[in-house]
Amino acid sequence: MSRKKAKAALPPALQARYREAVSLHQAGQAARASALYAEVLKVRPRHFDSLHLRGVAALQLGDTERGIGWLEAAIKVDGSVAPAHFNLGNARLGVGQLEDAIGCFDRALALKPDYAQAWINRGNALLDLRRLPQALESYDRALACKADYVDAWYNRGNALLDLGRAADALASYDRALALDAGHSQAWCNRGKALADRQALSAAAESYARALALRPGYPFLFGTWLHTCMKVCDWAAYAESAARLQQGIVVGDAVSPPFPVLAVLDSPALQQQAAACYAQARYPRSAALGEFSAPAPDGRIRVGYYSADFREHATTHLLLETLESHDAARFECYGFGFGPVATDAMSERITGAFHRFIDVNDMTDLQVAALSREWGIDIAVDLKGYTRDSRPGLFAAGCAPVQVNYLGYPGTMASGYHDYILADATVIPPAHRTWYSEQVVYLPGCYQANDSRRALVADTVDRVAQGLPQHAFVFCCFNNNYKILPTTFACWMRILQAVEGSVLWLLEDNSAASAQLREAAYGHGVNPERLVFAPRTDPAAHLARHGAADLFLDTWPCNAHTTASDALWAGLPLLTLQGESFAGRVAASLLRALQLPELIATTVEDYEQCAIAMAGNPAGLARLRERLARQKGHSALFDGRAMARNLEAAYRAMYERHRAGLAPTPLAVDAQGHCEPVAGDADADA
């Protein structure tokens, strides 16, 4: 019997019930409508429209399993109705059955080739599968059906953004906004495209438009504030920082975790922000089930996961350590999901792994499944919540033991990162309560470094760097977003106290440089006393440190890799130690080099120390000599020693897991032994 005949064959009373159900459904009363569809189906179990619409109602009510069942039953009655296949595809898309969803959309499109919404949702499934060119083609097919389809332009922009084509993505978002200026998501992602093109002021404006349309836009406020900080736009900084703090305190989805590190020196607030973000965006997935038993050959398989296996700060730090792992006891696997690179650094680091794979085109579940197939015992997350990170990999479970290390200076607060590698400076024992991972203490400093980095030239021409020949040169090559108004005000007081001195800063972008010059003028300092260093290649960057006299660190987010660069180059660095991991990294480096006098604990001490050092050339020269000696003897710049420390930690983690023991705080001593932290009540729980 055809669908039309089945519908026409309903007795008048039953037909009236069906029409009443449809009317209720259209009025938004899905539950009452569903009950009436059920009455019809008791009499006519194969009534297509009632099966179909009861399935739709179930989906609207959140009963996905029954909704899928009724839609499948409807399609068995009549498979010639495109919307039924479309709705089934949406249901499968909603529960992550992406391949099945695409099959449903394809069947809908075979019946109705101009079904624009089916082309869009097919593209969304392909986007989730990271089949970006195919997703883009699907959105283009939607636009061929309906050129003014706002969501098609918006989603097309998303595909282009993921493909790294920010300019084309921007054009698509602009088309969407020309059709619907109230599309908050398009304003938001337009901001991302502008940020990718380093049009940061315009990006901040686009984020602001999204927030004006949707004040509670999840996690966007922090992104907007961070973008303002990148251009040193401090016009509303105090008010915005207070709003950020209050939002975190009350549990609002106010910011991704990373922007918080540079604003709020509170490990407790950082943990709250990270926990909110992890729960909302990357909840634990049980899709892959339990882990298999480990391989019997005795070697520990460690997977390193990063977007930065190329010319990048993280790679510079970690490279020698990776190359130094004991191949007889450890197999190291690299999972890369960043921009494809063919530079010397990428070739060297991929060669350091037992096996390396580019997983850019794989979903999080696929990467986790591959990790399990390869028998990864310990998964090391080198990205955390930084740019291009993929926390979803660890939510899916890449390994039975998962570790947060090096890339993100804070807690993931995810519940599925078991350990964080640290040292006693960046996470003092009293601070462990604010880290959801169990802390593993490495001896000295947690930060890996490469002793094979290029040596720095003995002399650097100041004039060639745009610096005055005989002035005292303070410098800070940190990213501009780390410079807060209070930090800058302190620097200006230092310049005023040290006659003729200059401050040499990294030029992130021209907008930030202009803002900083204007801020200097506001503090009564000639803007010409600020000198900006353009970005350059790593060797040239290291070499130019020789033209500076003293590195002035930022707070509450310190120099990290940038601090290692300065110290490796022989440049003394003055830091202000804070409370959070991100605010204690430079202090950790300095303690490892036995230079504690360069660690201030108050703004006043920091300021007075900087001024005193500028006025004592002989003392500064002696400090440089000590730094040179300590650098040569310290384990800080020994990647081979770090490999041994990491291996000791990995063995302890692995053995606890094999023994069925829960993760616990661990400590690696100077002899390379790793044991549970003394006195920890839960060490063997």
Side-chain angles (χ1 to χ4, degrees):
M1 184 182 294
S2 71
R3 181 175 65 86
K4 289 184 178 179
K5 288 181 180 178
K7 183 176 178 180
L10 288 176
L14 207 58
Q15 181 70 15
R17 285 309 248 180
Y18 169 73
R19 288 176 178 170
E20 182 183 359
V22 172
S23 178
L24 287 167
H25 203 166
Q26 291 172 339
Q29 299 183 48
R32 292 181 62 192
S34 182
L36 295 182
Y37 294 138
E39 290 185 20
V40 175
L41 290 167
K42 284 180 182 178
V43 181
R44 290 287 189 271
R46 290 174 55 80
H47 185 248
F48 171 86
D49 286 333
S50 293
L51 286 167
H52 179 202
L53 294 177
R54 194 178 188 197
V56 172
L59 297 178
Q60 292 168 339
L61 292 167
D63 192 347
T64 304
E65 184 177 352
R66 284 195 175 91
I68 288 175
W70 283 318
L71 288 169
E72 288 177 333
I75 289 169
K76 286 180 181 177
V77 171
D78 186 352
S80 67
V81 181
H85 294 285
F86 171 75
N87 288 324
L88 181 57
N90 288 342
R92 296 199 180 282
L93 180 60
V95 295
Q97 298 172 4
L98 304 178
E99 296 285 3
D100 290 339
I102 292 170
C104 293
F105 295 134
D106 284 344
R107 286 187 284 278
L109 289 162
L111 294 164
K112 184 176 169 56
D114 63 347
Y115 202 155
Q117 186 62 60
W119 283 115
I120 289 177
N121 288 13
R122 180 179 184 272
N124 293 344
L126 289 163
L127 199 63
D128 286 347
L129 284 167
R130 303 185 70 83
R131 299 177 192 168
L132 304 180
Q134 292 170 267
L136 181 60
E137 180 184 1
S138 203
Y139 297 136
D140 285 340
R141 292 292 297 269
L143 289 166
C145 300
K146 187 178 179 183
D148 61 351
Y149 209 140
V150 174
D151 284 346
W153 284 112
Y154 166 71
N155 286 307
R156 183 177 188 273
N158 294 342
L160 289 163
L161 196 60
D162 285 352
L163 282 165
R165 295 167 54 183
D168 294 331
L170 184 61
S172 282
Y173 295 134
D174 284 343
R175 289 291 297 272
L177 290 166
L179 294 164
D180 179 8
H183 198 302
S184 61
Q185 291 173 296
W187 281 113
C188 175
N189 288 9
R190 180 179 182 270
K192 294 179 183 177
L194 287 163
D196 280 357
R197 290 175 57 77
Q198 293 302 301
L200 297 171
S201 296
E205 292 173 7
S206 199
Y207 292 141
R209 290 289 296 271
L211 286 166
L213 290 164
R214 188 181 174 188
Y217 200 121
F219 305 109
L220 184 56
F221 180 77
T223 300
W224 166 79
L225 176 57
H226 190 63
T227 308
C228 291
M229 291 170 65
K230 286 182 176 181
V231 295
C232 299
D233 180 356
W234 303 326
Y237 175 77
E239 175 188 344
S240 298
R243 178 178 166 186
L244 178 69
Q245 178 170 335
Q246 181 60 26
I248 294 170
V249 168
V250 300
D252 288 345
V254 69
S255 177
F258 185 75
V260 180
L261 303 183
V263 179
L264 302 176
D265 187 27
S266 166
L269 290 173
Q270 292 174 11
Q271 182 187 48
Q272 286 179 259
C276 178
Y277 189 72
Q279 184 177 3
R281 292 288 172 87
Y282 301 103
R284 186 192 297 270
S285 169
L288 296 178
E290 297 298 320
F291 290 96
S292 301
D297 62 11
R299 284 177 294 183
I300 299 175
R301 290 167 172 80
V302 181
Y304 289 94
Y305 301 75
S306 181
D308 304 328
F309 294 136
R310 53 191 167 87
E311 186 64 60
H312 187 276
T314 300
T315 295
H316 278 286
L317 293 177
L318 196 59
L319 185 48
E320 185 179 28
T321 296
L322 291 177
E323 292 175 331
S324 302
H325 273 312
D326 183 351
R329 297 183 178 183
F330 292 84
E331 284 186 358
C332 295
Y333 295 75
F335 296 81
F337 44 85
V340 176
T342 56
D343 54 57
M345 190 63 68
S346 66
E347 292 178 9
R348 184 177 159 193
I349 196 165
T350 55
F353 293 113
H354 174 77
R355 192 170 183 180
F356 177 83
I357 183 171
D358 183 334
V359 296
N360 264 302
D361 296 333
M362 298 173 66
T363 66
D364 292 343
L365 278 176
Q366 289 170 336
V367 177
L370 177 64
S371 300
R372 294 175 182 222
E373 180 185 332
W374 285 1
I376 302 301
D377 298 303
I378 299 173
V380 183
D381 181 358
L382 295 172
K383 290 298 296 178
Y385 292 124
T386 57
R387 180 182 174 88
D388 297 325
S389 63
R390 288 180 63 175
L393 300 177
F394 306 94
C398 290
V401 177
Q402 302 193 131
V403 180
N404 171 15
Y405 180 51
L406 196 60
Y408 183 71
T411 181
M412 294 295 291
S414 65
Y416 42 78
H417 286 79
D418 301 292
Y419 294 98
I420 182 171
L421 296 175
D423 60 56
T425 294
V426 292
I427 305 180
H431 290 195
R432 289 209 312 256
T433 187
W434 297 312
Y435 293 81
S436 300
E437 307 90 341
Q438 297 297 336
V439 179
V440 179
Y441 290 101
L442 300 177
C445 180
Y446 83 101
Q447 191 186 84
N449 269 285
D450 188 346
S451 67
R452 304 174 192 176
R453 294 184 70 181
L455 295 175
V456 178
D458 291 333
T459 58
V460 179
D461 185 350
R462 282 191 167 187
V463 175
Q465 300 293 329
L467 297 166
Q469 186 66 53
H470 301 295
F472 191 93
V473 177
F474 296 102
C475 86
C476 180
F477 292 145
N478 287 355
N479 287 315
N480 292 166
Y481 72 81
K482 294 185 180 183
I483 305 173
L484 301 193
T486 50
T487 307
F488 191 77
C490 176
W491 289 350
M492 294 303 98
R493 292 193 297 271
I494 292 169
L495 289 186
Q496 289 171 325
V498 181
E499 186 177 354
S501 62
V502 297
L503 178 59
W504 194 19
L505 300 171
L506 180 70
E507 185 163 33
D508 259 355
N509 57 85
S510 58
S513 302
Q515 291 276 15
L516 291 170
R517 288 191 178 100
E518 185 175 337
Y521 182 80
H523 283 282
V525 173
N526 186 338
E528 293 182 1
R529 294 178 69 184
L530 270 57
V531 182
F532 291 91
R535 290 191 179 273
T536 186
D537 65 82
H541 175 63
L542 276 178
R544 67 185 174 188
H545 284 78
D549 294 301
L550 179 65
F551 190 111
L552 296 178
D553 198 9
T554 51
W555 70 85
C557 189
N558 290 167
H560 297 170
T561 306
T562 312
S564 293
D565 288 345
L567 295 168
W568 177 251
L571 177 63
L573 178 147
L574 175 64
T575 192
L576 175 58
Q577 178 178 282
E579 291 297 309
S580 67
F581 190 132
R584 302 172 73 90
V585 172
S588 172
L589 295 165
L590 290 165
R591 286 197 175 96
L593 290 168
Q594 299 180 34
L595 296 171
E597 65 267 40
L598 291 173
I599 304 169
T601 55
T602 67
V603 175
E604 292 74 19
D605 287 345
Y606 176 99
E607 186 175 326
Q608 291 170 11
C609 186
I611 295 167
M613 292 174 72
N616 184 5
L620 188 59
R622 289 192 296 271
L623 188 61
R624 280 183 177 273
E625 292 171 2
R626 280 181 58 206
L627 172 56
R629 288 195 304 273
Q630 292 300 115
K631 188 181 73 171
H633 298 296
S634 172
L636 177 63
F637 293 109
D638 187 347
R640 292 163 296 182
M642 179 58 74
R644 302 291 83 81
N645 291 334
L646 291 181
E647 288 167 3
Y650 293 157
R651 280 194 299 271
M653 296 174 194
Y654 178 73
E655 288 166 4
R656 287 192 68 83
H657 167 67
R658 288 291 303 273
L661 298 173
T664 193
L666 300 169
V668 180
D669 64 23
Q671 288 71 45
H673 302 116
C674 185
E675 300 290 343
V677 172
D680 191 89
D682 299 322
D684 295 315

